[in-house]
Amino acid sequence: MSDYDVIIVGGGISGLLSALTLSKHGKKVLVLEKDDAVGGNCNSYTVDGFQVDTGPHAITHLREGPLRRLMDEYFTYMPFFVDYGHYYVRTEKGLTKIPSNIKDFVTFDVLPGKDRLMLSQALTKALTQMTFGMLDGDQPVYDYIPKGLSGDTYDFVNAIAYFLSGKSMKDTSVNRVLYGSSFVRDSVSEDIFENVEEASGTSYASMISDKLSKYQLKGHLSSLGRLATNKVSYAQAYPRGGLRSLLKAVLYSMPETVQIKTSSRVNKILTDGEKAVGVTTDSDSYSSDTIVYTGFVKNLPLLVELPPDYIKKLSTIDQTLSLTLWLGLKEKMKEFDYTGSEVWFKGGAYWAMPISNYDASIAPKGKQLVGFTFVIDDKNNIESEKKKALDLIFRAVPGIENKIEMTHYQVTIPEKAAVTINGYFAGTRSPVRNLYLAGTDTDSRSMGVTRAAYSVLELLKAMKEDKIL
Ligand SMILES: Cc1cc2nc3c(=O)[nH]c(=O)nc-3n(C[C@H](O)[C@H](O)[C@H](O)COP(=O)(O)OP(=O)(O)OC[C@H]3O[C@@H](n4cnc5c(N)ncnc54)[C@H](O)[C@@H]3O)c2cc1C
């Protein structure tokens, strides 16, 4: 008899959501986390009185997406979300709202009028082609957009591509932009399964597929409608109390039967024949009927023997390195008097969020906390990247250099796989029986925490199909 029904390797948000859901389905679960705290990329900690998150976070798809479904079904404690606000672009002239739809685009005078016209025509064309199934959504944004745009416009599109996929517009697909900017919504709401009753002579499966195809057409038609009404920040929010309040809600909802061991790096996944049967850490060994691995799938070959062709596929997983620079300001600056986030795109790009505007307790009284994130090249020297980042901020927000009280850097891989044109995603099942995968390198939909939640829904589905649940 095994020690546990399920061992979960990794205590990031994917591992913890897996533990929460599986334990609520009656499984005896052990979570093993290599670091001395759980949370992975979803946490907060204090630096000189300012509570920084592990990167600035917008939690997306909160109305009908995967995290909403998990919260509704499995959470006993709910995080409190504050409406996200808006996305802005900062230029020398100040802030302008990032256009969400064609109407906004017309007045978006950050870019030349001719370029705006050409881009909005390209967007309309892409959505029309998608509606009628004629879009090759895998083609690079760079190939799809019209030629002859100004340098500023290319830099702007590139900055948006980096924000949505972590890579340039040459490696970002048209689909990624359409989905990431909310023109096309990738979460299928539960109501498509409602009221599906088996009618005589009609199979259940065909009724569902009929409903789905109607939904898809309806979905695409409503995407086209969003040309006029889209809101990029649709159903997005920030958890009051900081990112760690989302983590806390998962931990507080966790049944006591779940055991969590930190400072426990799994160095081997044990197999018997073709089946996973347990794991070892530096000091212990545990047996289980099922294992869910939520670390980097790219590293899986270091833990367990795998077929060579699978190892080859894993080597094509694409990743991005990010640098976040948290600045604790002595006093609030009028430049950051908004909720939401801003993008700078001229001569380098950043994405910034003044997170203490959602919750003043995140910064000491009267002060302000802003996080700036940059995509950096892992081949470059990190110290020079940090200096470049700070110089860019000083250029974008004149006067900020005199307001800084706290500076804190984070260098992180935000998602275990970037959604690039040729980047691989591993899916839920591994070639080893009873070894499942969850996390941001197993499902390509959406991003970050939302993607982690998708991966957990897929895990539950696979385990149900395999009669483990
Ligand atoms: C700068 C930045 C900005 C971001 N912005 C957003 C955003 O706006 N919106 C959003 O939703 N998301 C955002 N994210 C991404 C989001 O935080 C992550 O995608 C999510 O937290 C990943 O969760 P995960 O559990 O899949 O992976 P991780 O957080 O990486 O967790 C994996 C865990 O497994 C552990 N582990 C690995 N190997 C082993 C082993 N062998 N043994 C034991 N433990 C192991 C690791 O220590 C880690 O704790 C951002 C991230 C960053 C860094």
Side-chain angles (χ1 to χ4, degrees), residues 170-212:
K170 291 190 175 163
D171 289 311
T172 303
S173 69
V174 173
N175 265 344
R176 185 72 197 145
V177 172
L178 295 181
Y179 281 91
S181 53
S182 288
F183 276 103
V184 184
R185 311 248 161 99
D186 57 9
S187 41
V188 176
S189 63
E190 207 62 73
D191 64 12
I192 61 159
F193 294 105
E194 282 168 10
N195 308 318
V196 182
E197 284 161 13
E198 201 152 3
S200 56
T202 316
S203 81
Y204 200 73
S206 77
M207 284 189 71
I208 286 190
S209 96
D210 183 42
K211 277 235 161 201
L212 266 172

Side-chain angles (χ1 to χ4, degrees), residues 56-69 71 81-82 84 87 163-164 176 179-182 185-187 231-239 243 246 341 351 353 415 445-454:
H57 276 66
I59 308 298
T60 62
H61 296 251
L62 280 172
R63 198 151 302 158
E64 64 215 353
L67 184 63
R68 166 59 52 203
R69 279 204 230 166
M71 289 194 299
F81 287 106
V82 187
Y84 189 69
Y87 286 91
F163 167 59
L164 291 173
R176 185 72 197 145
Y179 281 91
S181 53
S182 288
R185 311 248 161 99
D186 57 9
S187 41
K231 190 172 168 223
V232 178
S233 59
Y234 170 77
Q236 298 188 11
Y238 180 78
L243 195 53
L246 176 58
S341 56
W351 175 52
M353 251 177 100
E415 284 163 330
R445 284 171 291 178
S446 191
M447 56 169 95
V449 173
T450 309
R451 195 189 302 168
Y454 268 126

Side-chain angles (χ1 to χ4, degrees), residues 10 12-14 32-34 40-41 56-58 266 324 414 416 440 448-449:
I13 197 74
S14 305
L32 295 169
E33 166 55 51
K34 69 176 169 51
N41 271 347
H57 276 66
V266 169
T324 297
K416 287 173 282 196
T440 49
V449 173

Side-chain angles (χ1 to χ4, degrees), residues 28 32 41 50 126 175 201 203 233 237 241 279 303 305 308 315 324 340 344 351 361 420 431 439 457 467:
K28 186 180 173 196
L32 295 169
N41 271 347
F50 293 87
N175 265 344
S203 81
S233 59
V279 301
L303 303 184
E305 205 173 314
S315 71
T324 297
W344 174 272
W351 175 52
S361 70
T420 52
L457 287 174
K467 311 252 178 304

